[in-house]
Amino acid sequence: MRKPNLLFIFADQWRRDAMGFMEKDEVITPNIDNFSKESLSFDNAISACPLCSPNRATMFTGTYPVTHGVWTNCKPGLKDVALRETDITLMDVLKDNGYKTGYIGKWHLDSSEINFEENPSSGARDWDAYTPPGKKRHGVDYWYSYGAYDNHLKPHYWHDDNKMIQIDQWSVEHETDRAIEFIDKNKDEAFSLIISWNPPHTPLDLVPQRYVDMYKGKKFKVNPNVLLTDVTDHTLSVNPRLNFTDDEYQEVMRKYFAAVTGVDENFGRLIQNLKDNGIYDDTIIVLTADHGEMLCAHRLWSKHVWFEESVGVPFLIKYGDKFVKGATDVVLNGVDIMPTILSLMELPVPNTVEGKDLKEVILTGNDVENYAIISGYPGQMRAIEEFRSHGKDNTAYGWRGIRTKQYTYVVNKAYTMSHGTERLLYDNINDPYQMNPIKIEDVSENKIAQDLENKLREWAVKYKDKFEF
């Protein structure tokens, strides 16, 4: 019997509501909508740490940021924040079990090269990094990738040497071209291919006009929690703060949704290619994201916060007719992805894994009790330096939270010494836009908050988190 292929696709900064079939954001995604009818959608899929590098490391290792050490983005000034060669990843296990492995697109799990030399010979600058062949590629045979670079219309990549490959083509389209070449070449053997698309990550202007034109004249509804003045991100790193007119915000949504529509078109190309090669039903297909995008909800831009727009991600999975179809409200966290996929592929799950195997949900549709531990750590250099100046470890601050089917509970110490501690409880079913949190002054006086904080504290002890509750 043929081993299943794996096609694992994830986009960057793509929020769960931005899929047409969800009937929330007014986005055009016909291919994803059709796929949703044939797959299982986890409608409570959550980003464990809603920031690019941390949740990527979490998805690939099945461990939390406190364990894998990628607690913020890999970037200048932080030499030690990177995926370790010794970490066991999804790709390592697949390679060890005979799979032809490929990785295409954004990696963002190696320390920026300028942390080690001023002008790297690879041409990498700022946050970017070339990942050389060897252990840093974690078992990937075909590598066509880059570290972190956001020029979507003129992307660049590295293959098997440090010569930068510069492209004049929208990154999603180009990476899909390369993915189709990989599938065509390897269709007769068991393969695993991970595709990491950068859009709809900002900047939003860098999207082909044909997708923007699909929304011409469209007047989008605006969610009630959206505020257009004095907008920042949760870490206060947007400076100066942003202000939008109603028309400007319509344009923001138009371009964000246009990028998602472009993602949808290229997802459709991949599905058609699998069908043309006769391997559609032989391939486990996963479509997800590393985190979401606030788009001015709660007067916030970007991500790295506990609100649903930030932590809520798509997660659809299909394998011929072998998996349940439809939707489930079982919570799936980023840390659960690696063990679940390996278990479904009947491959060994490393004992390093900290996530939960949710195979039963996918094979039977049964309800499984699960919740997501979510976290955010001060990663801006100015914040790190402030904590250090007080003799404090910045990773003991930020926020920790827990997301169940109904509730989000957060203990927030924020990103400055002066903030103090606040506790917030959201009822996501009765307050879907999270506009009316209960501010918890005494945990012992609220049974729900008390139970959730106990789970948070147990998790912190188990995984040696330094957070001071």
Side-chain angles (χ1 to χ4, degrees), residues 14-34:
W14 178 28
R15 66 191 199 179
R16 187 198 304 128
D17 286 354
M19 297 186 288
F21 75 91
M22 295 294 288
E23 299 183 342
K24 293 182 178 178
D25 287 343
E26 297 173 298
V27 60
I28 300 168
T29 56
N31 295 293
I32 294 169
D33 296 348
N34 287 334

Side-chain angles (χ1 to χ4, degrees), residues 34-239:
N34 287 334
F35 185 71
S36 73
K37 298 171 186 175
E38 301 179 348
S39 61
L40 180 65
S41 171
F42 278 82
D43 292 350
N44 282 320
I46 299 296
S47 176
C49 186
L51 194 63
C52 299
S53 300
N55 203 60
R56 287 162 184 265
T58 292
M59 288 194 299
F60 293 149
T61 66
T63 62
Y64 293 100
V66 290
T67 299
H68 58 61
V70 187
W71 46 266
T72 190
N73 276 331
C74 304
K75 60 189 175 186
L78 296 173
K79 290 185 177 181
D80 297 331
V81 176
L83 187 65
R84 297 176 293 250
E85 293 182 5
T86 54
D87 285 316
I88 302 172
T89 68
L90 173 66
M91 300 80 80
D92 289 309
V93 177
L94 290 162
K95 177 62 177 176
D96 288 345
N97 284 274
Y99 277 81
K100 178 73 173 180
T101 55
Y103 192 100
I104 297 173
K106 179 176 177 178
W107 177 239
H108 204 184
L109 285 171
D110 282 328
S111 183
S112 304
E113 283 195 76
I114 63 168
N115 281 327
F116 308 101
E117 55 181 310
E118 187 174 346
N119 292 299
S121 58
S122 67
R125 299 294 183 266
D126 301 319
W127 291 33
D128 207 359
Y130 160 63
T131 300
K135 291 182 179 179
K136 279 192 172 185
R137 292 190 178 183
H138 287 275
V140 174
D141 300 309
Y142 176 77
W143 184 270
Y144 192 79
S145 182
Y146 61 97
Y149 183 68
D150 292 330
N151 190 339
H152 309 318
L153 294 178
K154 293 184 181 296
H156 65 239
Y157 306 88
W158 289 279
H159 184 37
D160 284 341
D161 57 38
N162 70 350
K163 183 178 179 180
M164 183 184 288
I165 302 166
Q166 296 180 301
I167 302 295
D168 187 12
Q169 185 183 12
W170 193 48
S171 61
V172 176
E173 182 180 38
H174 180 69
E175 289 157 23
T176 303
D177 289 347
R178 288 288 177 268
I180 287 171
E181 290 174 3
F182 176 91
I183 294 169
D184 288 345
K185 184 177 180 180
N186 296 285
K187 62 186 177 183
D188 295 327
E189 59 181 313
F191 68 80
S192 160
L193 176 60
I194 297 173
I195 306 172
S196 172
W197 289 325
N198 200 351
H201 190 289
T202 49
L204 300 181
D205 289 334
L206 301 182
V207 58
Q209 187 62 36
R210 67 182 182 275
Y211 300 123
V212 181
D213 289 343
M214 293 174 70
Y215 294 91
K216 189 174 182 179
K218 172 70 176 176
K219 178 75 171 179
F220 300 100
K221 65 180 176 64
V222 178
N223 290 339
N225 62 357
V226 167
L227 299 164
L228 301 181
T229 59
D230 201 28
V231 176
T232 184
D233 70 14
H234 189 58
T235 63
L236 302 179
S237 64
V238 171
N239 187 25

Side-chain angles (χ1 to χ4, degrees), residues 282-320:
D282 299 321
T283 304
I284 294 176
I285 304 165
V286 175
L287 181 63
T288 186
D290 54 0
H291 55 76
E293 163 61 62
M294 293 301 295
L295 288 183
C296 300
H298 304 282
R299 199 171 265 125
L300 295 172
W301 189 255
S302 199
K303 62 263 185 179
H304 207 219
V305 68
W306 54 82
F307 292 115
E308 284 295 289
E309 292 87 353
S310 170
V311 299
V313 293
F315 191 92
L316 294 92
I317 186 167
K318 181 185 188 299
Y319 178 27

Side-chain angles (χ1 to χ4, degrees), residues 3 18 50 75 82 185 197 245 250 259 269 273 328 333 339 360 419 457:
K3 296 191 294 186
K75 60 189 175 186
K185 184 177 180 180
W197 289 325
T245 65
Q250 289 288 316
R269 292 176 61 208
N273 179 257
T328 177
N333 197 10
E360 182 183 348
H419 184 274
R457 287 173 177 264

